[in-house]
Amino acid sequence: MLDLVRRIISLCRKEFLAILKDPANRVILVVPSLVESFLFGYAATFDLINVPYALLDQSRGAASVELIARLDGTGVFQRVATLQTQRDIAGVIDSQQVLMVIQIGPRFEQQVNAGELAPVQLILDARNSNSAGSAAGYVASIIESYNTTLGGNARQPLTVEARAWYNPNLETRWNLMPGLIASLSMIQTMLLAALTVARERENGTFDQLLVTPFSPMEIMVGKVIPIVAIGLLQSTIVLLVSLYWFEVPLAGSLITLYTGLTLFTIASVGVGLAISAVCTTMQQAMLYTFMLVMPLIMLSGLATPVRNMPEFLQVITLANPLRFAVDLMQRVYLEGADLMMVGYDLIPLLIMSTVTLPFAAWLFRNRLL
């Protein structure tokens, strides 16, 4: 057993040296995760922060002025144009100067004073459907709030008070960053694993490794451990950026978080090693990896919920380790879920880890030896 441990340690040392000996490789292992964390944290957001709009107020009464003042007072909506006629609407929408146009009719003041229905028309640029839908909902809530000040409660006794759990301000960043802890590390982890054997075959060192007294399983374990360690390091970088730069609070336990991360990283490395075993060149390994990574991310639930996908795609996602990793990260990070609560995520990851590595070892024996 001691000899086995020594052999595996020597293989791990060789893999670390092969990966880290080039200064450019050391930069690539750290900088992309750091840069991508900032890019996703700042750029990938559906939050309403600055919504340009144009106003066509044909009433020009006190009621319309008060309503628009409520809109401008949010700090989210920025009026960039005041229109005079309906013919001006198409120009500001087509040129993308504004996301929406608010049109108030000429009888708005009289209708409000008479207690009649006073419609406010929203003309939205639906080329950006997510932002347009969110903006329309926000305007509707402002109009509803304004309506209650006009005696709306007497006609509408039911009111809705919403409270968001786990993400009080409904920030996209809070939902996105925990999932990125697993997603960003998976890309380079799978790529490193896929290139590990292909690189040695191109360099001619793999044949030398085969004549050593190492068994195929020992060779595989010696290649897995360094890549898993690098994957966990990259996940830690994203975690630190989420915690201390974007200040997304961690509600759960680091032990639970890293338990799930470790199982997920092992499963990802197993997939990468399987790719490496069937490829003969580094170029093939890179192409196969990039071909596989994008579907895994799209079917993970990171960008869109899995439950919104067609049923046949939901079944396919059951073979995707990233689906369970993203769900686990979000639940532990935001909800504070413990090991028992995320068991239905941990068990599939454990199964995938125990399947992918033996499958990669089988490919080693049957295709490389």
Side-chain angles (χ1 to χ4, degrees):
M1 180 61 68
L2 189 59
D3 290 338
L4 174 63
V5 172
R6 287 199 187 101
R7 290 198 297 270
I8 291 177
I9 291 175
S10 64
L11 283 171
C12 291
R13 181 175 178 273
K14 181 192 75 70
E15 286 299 316
F16 274 120
L17 289 175
I19 295 172
L20 302 177
K21 67 179 180 180
D22 188 350
N25 284 347
R26 295 196 292 268
V27 173
I28 290 174
L29 292 178
V30 176
V31 173
S33 297
L34 194 62
V35 172
E36 289 166 1
S37 299
F38 285 108
L39 286 178
F40 277 98
Y42 282 115
T45 176
F46 299 114
D47 298 337
L48 288 177
I49 299 175
N50 183 14
V51 179
Y53 79 96
L55 173 66
L56 176 57
D57 184 3
Q58 297 173 310
S59 171
R60 296 184 175 86
S64 63
V65 171
E66 182 180 353
L67 176 60
I68 296 302
R70 286 172 174 261
L71 194 71
D72 293 336
T74 62
V76 173
F77 297 92
Q78 308 294 330
R79 192 195 313 180
V80 299
T82 300
L83 308 182
Q84 301 301 321
T85 66
Q86 290 183 339
R87 291 191 299 271
D88 301 330
I89 294 175
V92 294
I93 292 288
D94 292 343
S95 61
Q96 295 185 333
Q97 296 180 42
V98 299
L99 181 65
M100 68 180 183
V101 175
I102 300 177
Q103 179 178 353
I104 300 176
R107 297 189 62 251
F108 183 78
E109 183 80 14
Q110 294 88 340
Q111 290 169 329
V112 169
N113 292 334
E116 301 175 359
L117 291 176
V120 176
Q121 185 178 24
L122 297 182
I123 302 167
L124 301 165
D125 183 359
R127 286 172 290 191
N128 188 346
S129 58
N130 288 317
S131 297
S134 299
Y138 202 165
V139 173
S141 66
I142 294 172
I143 292 175
E144 180 64 24
S145 174
Y146 174 69
N147 182 54
T148 60
T149 66
L150 300 175
N153 282 333
R155 298 190 300 272
Q156 301 174 6
L158 298 180
T159 60
V160 176
E161 294 183 2
R163 191 174 78 180
W165 284 16
Y166 312 124
N167 188 357
N169 297 321
L170 299 177
E171 295 184 33
T172 304
R173 187 177 296 146
W174 282 41
N175 178 65
L176 186 64
M177 293 305 295
L180 291 178
I181 295 174
S183 303
L184 292 183
S185 68
M186 181 197 71
I187 299 173
Q188 286 196 332
T189 299
M190 285 186 60
L191 186 59
L192 279 174
L195 292 177
T196 180
V197 175
R199 180 183 63 247
E200 292 203 29
R201 295 189 70 177
E202 285 195 358
N203 294 336
T205 58
F206 192 73
D207 292 336
Q208 298 175 8
L209 188 62
L210 294 180
V211 299
T212 62
F214 298 116
S215 67
M217 182 59 69
E218 291 173 349
I219 294 174
M220 188 189 66
V221 172
K223 291 182 175 296
V224 165
I225 294 176
I227 301 175
V228 170
I230 291 172
L232 292 176
L233 173 62
Q234 293 176 335
S235 296
T236 302
I237 292 173
V238 183
L239 173 63
L240 293 176
V241 172
S242 303
L243 274 175
Y244 297 110
W245 184 265
F246 293 114
E247 297 181 346
V248 183
L250 174 62
S253 166
L254 286 174
I255 296 176
T256 305
L257 194 75
Y258 274 93
T259 299
L261 275 176
T262 302
L263 291 176
F264 165 70
T265 306
I266 292 173
S268 300
V269 171
V271 174
L273 286 175
I275 294 174
S276 185
V278 299
C279 295
T280 56
T281 65
M282 293 176 63
Q283 185 178 18
Q284 287 182 353
M286 292 177 64
L287 289 175
Y288 281 131
T289 301
F290 285 120
M291 182 183 67
L292 187 61
V293 163
M294 185 54 67
L296 291 178
I297 293 177
M298 292 299 297
L299 296 176
S300 67
L302 178 65
T304 57
V306 174
R307 62 179 177 272
N308 291 349
M309 300 177 187
E311 291 187 4
F312 76 95
L313 284 181
Q314 294 185 35
V315 175
I316 294 175
T317 62
L318 296 176
N320 182 7
L322 187 57
R323 172 202 170 159
F324 301 101
V326 167
D327 184 70
L328 186 144
M329 293 298 107
Q330 291 176 342
R331 295 203 60 199
V332 174
Y333 202 107
L334 299 177
E335 299 178 28
D338 56 24
L339 284 171
M340 297 298 295
M341 296 172 65
V342 294
Y344 61 85
D345 287 322
L346 288 173
I347 292 174
L349 288 174
L350 179 61
I351 294 173
M352 292 178 188
S353 300
T354 56
V355 169
T356 55
L357 289 181
F359 177 67
W362 179 83
L363 287 176
F364 267 104
R365 288 193 299 269
N366 288 271
R367 296 187 65 90
L368 298 176
L369 300 181

Tab-separated table of all heavy atoms in Angstrom, residues 90-98 127:
chain	number	residue	atom	x	y	z
A	90	ALA	N	-42.314	56.195	-33.659
A	90	ALA	CA	-41.568	55.212	-34.456
A	90	ALA	C	-40.083	55.568	-34.536
A	90	ALA	O	-39.219	54.683	-34.490
A	90	ALA	CB	-42.164	55.109	-35.858
A	91	GLY	N	-39.773	56.832	-34.613
A	91	GLY	CA	-38.381	57.237	-34.756
A	91	GLY	C	-37.522	56.862	-33.563
A	91	GLY	O	-36.418	56.318	-33.719
A	92	VAL	N	-38.007	57.137	-32.343
A	92	VAL	CA	-37.188	56.860	-31.154
A	92	VAL	C	-37.099	55.374	-30.865
A	92	VAL	O	-36.101	54.900	-30.300
A	92	VAL	CB	-37.744	57.628	-29.926
A	92	VAL	CG1	-37.597	59.122	-30.112
A	92	VAL	CG2	-39.200	57.250	-29.650
A	93	ILE	N	-38.133	54.598	-31.268
A	93	ILE	CA	-38.087	53.152	-31.077
A	93	ILE	C	-37.160	52.505	-32.101
A	93	ILE	O	-36.295	51.683	-31.764
A	93	ILE	CB	-39.497	52.535	-31.175
A	93	ILE	CG1	-40.365	52.960	-29.985
A	93	ILE	CG2	-39.415	51.010	-31.246
A	93	ILE	CD1	-39.994	52.320	-28.675
A	94	ASP	N	-37.309	52.894	-33.367
A	94	ASP	CA	-36.514	52.280	-34.433
A	94	ASP	C	-35.028	52.567	-34.261
A	94	ASP	O	-34.187	51.721	-34.580
A	94	ASP	CB	-36.983	52.779	-35.795
A	94	ASP	CG	-38.377	52.275	-36.150
A	94	ASP	OD1	-38.825	51.308	-35.498
A	94	ASP	OD2	-39.007	52.847	-37.058
A	95	SER	N	-34.687	53.737	-33.773
A	95	SER	CA	-33.277	54.096	-33.594
A	95	SER	C	-32.697	53.573	-32.287
A	95	SER	O	-31.537	53.838	-31.989
A	95	SER	CB	-33.122	55.622	-33.648
A	95	SER	OG	-33.860	56.240	-32.598
A	96	GLN	N	-33.545	52.867	-31.483
A	96	GLN	CA	-33.123	52.289	-30.207
A	96	GLN	C	-32.648	53.351	-29.204
A	96	GLN	O	-31.813	53.082	-28.359
A	96	GLN	CB	-32.032	51.235	-30.410
A	96	GLN	CG	-32.496	50.026	-31.189
A	96	GLN	CD	-31.446	48.938	-31.268
A	96	GLN	OE1	-30.246	49.192	-31.202
A	96	GLN	NE2	-31.900	47.690	-31.397
A	97	GLN	N	-33.195	54.558	-29.330
A	97	GLN	CA	-32.893	55.578	-28.335
A	97	GLN	C	-33.549	55.249	-26.997
A	97	GLN	O	-33.036	55.629	-25.943
A	97	GLN	CB	-33.383	56.953	-28.812
A	97	GLN	CG	-32.707	57.486	-30.050
A	97	GLN	CD	-33.248	58.846	-30.447
A	97	GLN	OE1	-33.476	59.702	-29.601
A	97	GLN	NE2	-33.468	59.038	-31.746
A	98	VAL	N	-34.698	54.578	-27.051
A	98	VAL	CA	-35.460	54.291	-25.832
A	98	VAL	C	-35.879	52.830	-25.835
A	98	VAL	O	-35.963	52.189	-26.893
A	98	VAL	CB	-36.712	55.200	-25.724
A	98	VAL	CG1	-36.305	56.669	-25.671
A	98	VAL	CG2	-37.670	54.950	-26.885
A	127	ARG	N	-37.391	43.924	-29.005
A	127	ARG	CA	-36.177	43.255	-29.476
A	127	ARG	C	-35.326	42.820	-28.293
A	127	ARG	O	-34.536	41.887	-28.401
A	127	ARG	CB	-35.388	44.197	-30.394
A	127	ARG	CG	-36.008	44.363	-31.771
A	127	ARG	CD	-35.336	45.428	-32.594
A	127	ARG	NE	-35.616	46.776	-32.064
A	127	ARG	CZ	-35.322	47.899	-32.710
A	127	ARG	NH1	-34.740	47.837	-33.897
A	127	ARG	NH2	-35.596	49.072	-32.170
